[in-house]
Amino acid sequence: MKQKLVIKIGTSILSNGDILEMSRIEKICSFISALKTKFDIILVSSGAVASGYTRINLDKSKLSNKRALASIGQPLLMNAYNTIFNKYNIIPSQLLFISTIFDSKDKIERTKETINTLLENGILPILNENDAIAQNDLTFGDNDQLSAYVAHYFHSNMLVILSDVYGYYDKDPLKNEDAKLIKYINKIKQERILADNVAGSKFATGGIVTKLMAAYFLLNNNKEMFLCSGFDLQPTLDFLLNGNHYLGTLFSNKRGIE
């Protein structure tokens, strides 16, 4: 029986800031195809708003426009995945989530049953927040929180977050050339999250805080998370397929890490 793996990809990996980059999606699909030889994969993918922006140029600072872009872009995003995954004989499926999905055991069990049925038949579930009807902006923190909940409630062995950095650093790597990558973290204190939240830099506002929150949640539930680059996928492949950990941050309290 294969291990279950949740992979989360943010908009910054799939787009150039405004629209989707098909070459990047191609690399992600190839990456997932390689991992499916060893793992059952659940993909949590952002990118609906960026996809919608390829068709209509609406002001994304306005929440109603953002919801409209997500509505336009979600089928376009899935079409892109479907087209490319077809080359690898992988059939994708779509599940759109709102925060209330985790409100009751019944909802969780029904959703888990659907996902497990898909996985048992070799289908790739692709999950995203239903931004078109979300109650407020970024309910799940660009899907970082959503992917953590999915990993926990649907019994994944690990969450892998593909980001625009190689992992968690001791200081902002965009401002400090001597910033050092921390390869192992087995405990996160809330003070660390608060400190990064007020750092006032792209390192903080670009999403490291929501990733720490996801890791904090998983560590408290005895789950593991691996954070690495979504632009350079080889280090993550080497770690997951061969156990070779030379880049990326592993958040785990299971492996006797000091």
Side-chain angles (χ1 to χ4, degrees), residues 50-69:
S51 186
Y53 201 72
T54 64
R55 293 296 179 90
I56 182 170
N57 188 345
L58 297 178
D59 179 5
K60 288 183 287 186
S61 65
K62 191 175 180 181
L63 184 54
S64 59
N65 285 349
K66 206 169 182 181
R67 288 174 176 152
L69 286 168

Side-chain angles (χ1 to χ4, degrees), residues 10 29 49 57 104 137 154 206 241 244:
C29 292
V49 174
N57 188 345
S104 73
D137 198 12
F154 304 147
L241 296 180
N244 189 6

Side-chain angles (χ1 to χ4, degrees), residues 8 40 63 66 70 169 178 183 207 209-210 239 247 249:
K8 183 265 176 180
D40 283 329
L63 184 54
K66 206 169 182 181
Y169 293 79
D178 62 340
K183 290 177 63 179
V209 172
T210 54
F239 172 69
L247 286 173
T249 300

Side-chain angles (χ1 to χ4, degrees), residues 235 238-247:
D238 287 343
F239 172 69
L240 293 172
L241 296 180
N242 306 312
N244 189 6
H245 182 190
Y246 53 91
L247 286 173

Side-chain angles (χ1 to χ4, degrees), residues 47-243:
V49 174
S51 186
Y53 201 72
T54 64
R55 293 296 179 90
I56 182 170
N57 188 345
L58 297 178
D59 179 5
K60 288 183 287 186
S61 65
K62 191 175 180 181
L63 184 54
S64 59
N65 285 349
K66 206 169 182 181
R67 288 174 176 152
L69 286 168
S71 178
I72 297 163
Q74 186 62 35
L76 298 175
L77 176 64
M78 286 303 301
N79 184 61
Y81 276 127
N82 188 60
T83 299
I84 298 173
F85 274 126
N86 186 56
K87 301 176 185 178
Y88 299 95
N89 295 315
I90 294 173
I91 301 172
S93 66
Q94 174 183 269
L95 294 91
L96 296 179
F97 281 46
I98 56 175
S99 57
T100 54
I101 195 74
F102 300 106
D103 282 355
S104 73
K105 289 183 179 179
D106 182 58
K107 292 178 185 177
I108 292 169
E109 285 302 313
R110 281 188 280 116
T111 307
K112 182 169 66 176
E113 185 178 82
T114 299
I115 289 175
N116 286 342
T117 299
L118 291 168
L119 294 175
E120 288 165 6
N121 287 277
I123 310 300
L124 173 70
I126 300 180
L127 283 53
N128 195 3
E129 180 173 3
N130 194 340
D131 294 317
I133 60 170
Q135 292 183 347
N136 49 60
D137 198 12
L138 296 176
T139 302
F140 286 114
D142 195 27
N143 281 336
D144 291 323
Q145 289 293 96
L146 172 59
S147 62
Y149 293 158
V150 168
H152 172 59
Y153 288 110
F154 304 147
H155 305 300
S156 170
N157 296 87
M158 180 181 289
L159 167 63
V160 175
I161 292 186
L162 299 175
S163 183
D164 53 3
V165 292
Y166 276 106
Y168 185 75
Y169 293 79
D170 61 348
K171 61 184 76 172
D172 185 349
L174 300 175
K175 291 184 176 181
N176 302 277
E177 293 183 1
D178 62 340
K180 294 180 180 179
L181 178 71
I182 302 174
K183 290 177 63 179
Y184 300 100
I185 294 178
N186 64 1
K187 187 176 183 180
I188 298 175
K189 296 181 179 179
Q190 287 189 324
E191 301 90 88
R192 174 181 280 175
I193 298 175
L194 293 172
D196 281 319
N197 198 30
V198 298
S201 70
K202 187 178 178 181
F203 184 53
T205 58
I208 199 64
V209 172
T210 54
K211 289 165 182 57
L212 282 181
M213 290 170 63
Y216 179 82
F217 172 79
L218 290 173
L219 286 174
N220 284 344
N221 286 283
N222 296 311
K223 297 281 185 178
E224 295 181 310
M225 185 180 112
F226 188 71
L227 173 64
C228 200
S229 171
F231 298 119
D232 178 9
L233 297 168
Q234 194 59 46
T236 302
L237 274 177
D238 287 343
F239 172 69
L240 293 172
L241 296 180
N242 306 312

